[in-house]
Amino acid sequence: MLEGLMAEIERIVILTGAGISAESGIDTFRSAGGLWEQHRVEDVATPEGFARNPNLVLNFYDMRRAALAHAAPNAAHMALARLEREFSGELLLVTQNVDDLHERGGSASVLHMHGELKSALCTSCETRSRWEATMIDRPPCPVCRAPTLRPDVVWFGEMPYQMGRIYQALETCDLFVSIGTSGAVYPAAGFVQEARRLGARTLELNLEPSEGSRLFHETRLGPASRLVPEWVEEVLDAQGP
Ligand code: NAD
Ligand code: APR
């Protein structure tokens, strides 16, 4: 349905979710065996859960951060990095993922709307610092020295990062592409409607139909490691040399 249109595309917004990293060995949230089957969301992904049992929460994210060392970017991450390098128009890559696989796949500019595992947020001075170590031992904030670091991950009930910039890009894009997300969590789940309302074409690449599949002009089903490189090839081919 979108074939033939790719040549006219000048501004693309891409939204990725846990599905793009699934083939790299990082658990998704809602799939069978996913993170939310093994943990109660209220315990590990809310400010209230953190207040109740900080050790549980710090340990949960310490484990997830450590697991990144055993995961490598897959063909989907690398294809998006290639698109960033070779697409002649504007591209905004927004991810709900807190892993660093887009960066390690070669993408230079990634907007992490739900924060990052390798970042610490100080609840005293509110500084965000790059962070690779554990937090369970209550290390001091590199800026104010208070032992009040928390994972720089946006929890349920908190405001995602850079929403203004994202909505601005959705307003002006001519193509919105959603990759590997269940469309269960707002505000990200609403991006497709926002983009459509303002005239963009919309494409979903996912393993199975998501909650919002019917909102897209086109849905392609399959593993991201196959679908994303195929789509990137299509865009770059249409663009010509
Ligand atoms: P909510 O009202 O607590 O959260 C929604 C708000 O949380 C949004 O406005 C968003 O700004 C914010 N948010 C910030 N960071 C987030 C993050 N990292 N992940 C998710 N949301 C974040 O949640 P809700 O309205 O109860 O649920 C939203 C959707 O999430 C629902 O569609 C629900 O199906 C799904 N959900 C699923 C599970 C689960 O799988 N067990 C648990 C909770 C929510
Ligand atoms: N290729 C493409 N898609 C895949 C693959 C794959 N190899 N494997 C799984 N998927 C799809 C699943 O079918 C599912 O629709 O990826 C989607 C993953 O959905 P979720 O686990 O719900 O992850 P996500 O949409 O990123 O969750 C959104 O919820 O809990 C919060 O903050 C958390 O950022 C997260 C947000």
Side-chain angles (χ1 to χ4, degrees):
M1 189 185 201
L2 293 170
E3 281 114 35
L5 280 174
M6 290 301 165
E8 295 155 32
I9 298 297
E10 287 173 4
R11 290 185 195 83
I12 306 178
V13 175
I14 298 175
L15 171 71
T16 65
I20 198 170
S21 297
E23 292 165 83
S24 295
I26 297 182
D27 285 340
T28 59
F29 294 94
R30 294 169 185 78
S31 314
L35 276 172
W36 295 157
E37 240 175 43
Q38 297 162 42
H39 299 272
R40 280 165 32 109
V41 178
E42 309 78 46
D43 290 340
V44 295
T46 63
E48 296 77 20
F50 184 53
R52 253 191 327 267
N53 191 345
N55 281 344
L56 174 85
V57 176
L58 293 174
N59 185 54
F60 175 71
Y61 290 97
D62 280 353
M63 295 297 163
R64 290 184 62 196
R65 191 179 309 104
L68 294 182
H70 308 288
N74 65 54
H77 299 103
M78 290 191 256
L80 294 184
R82 177 180 171 218
L83 186 67
E84 182 187 58
R85 284 191 304 271
E86 299 181 19
F87 180 55
S88 57
E90 281 174 36
L91 179 73
L92 179 67
L93 174 58
V94 179
T95 187
Q96 298 168 88
N97 297 344
V98 293
D99 65 48
D100 59 353
L101 295 182
H102 280 305
E103 286 86 351
R104 282 159 58 201
S107 287
S109 176
V110 185
L111 194 164
H112 283 270
M113 63 176 286
H114 287 167
E116 294 178 66
L117 284 169
K118 289 191 179 169
S119 176
L121 174 66
C122 177
T123 57
S124 302
C125 72
E126 293 180 12
T127 304
R128 304 174 71 191
S129 307
R130 188 164 167 77
W131 200 264
E132 307 249 357
T134 57
M135 289 186 198
I136 192 81
D137 36 356
R138 303 298 197 288
C141 167
V143 175
C144 74
R145 312 309 297 170
T148 50
L149 296 180
R150 59 163 268 189
D152 189 10
V153 165
V154 178
W155 287 324
F156 283 96
E158 296 181 326
M159 183 63 90
Y161 287 116
Q162 298 202 51
M163 292 308 298
R165 186 167 160 221
I166 297 171
Y167 280 115
Q168 206 171 36
L170 288 171
E171 272 173 30
T172 52
C173 73
D174 31 40
L175 179 66
F176 171 74
V177 186
S178 171
I179 304 171
T181 176
S182 61
V185 175
Y186 283 84
F191 291 173
V192 56
Q193 277 152 308
E194 190 61 15
R196 270 192 88 139
R197 193 173 69 79
L198 295 152
R201 306 298 295 179
T202 55
L203 170 67
E204 173 178 58
L205 308 177
N206 210 48
L207 194 58
E208 58 198 2
S210 68
E211 294 193 17
S213 277
R214 70 194 154 72
L215 302 170
F216 289 83
H217 289 107
E218 182 181 342
T219 293
R220 298 181 189 173
L221 300 181
S225 64
R226 176 171 63 80
L227 293 186
V228 179
E230 281 174 5
W231 169 70
V232 166
E233 195 69 44
E234 213 176 292
V235 174
L236 295 177
D237 272 357
Q239 172 180 279

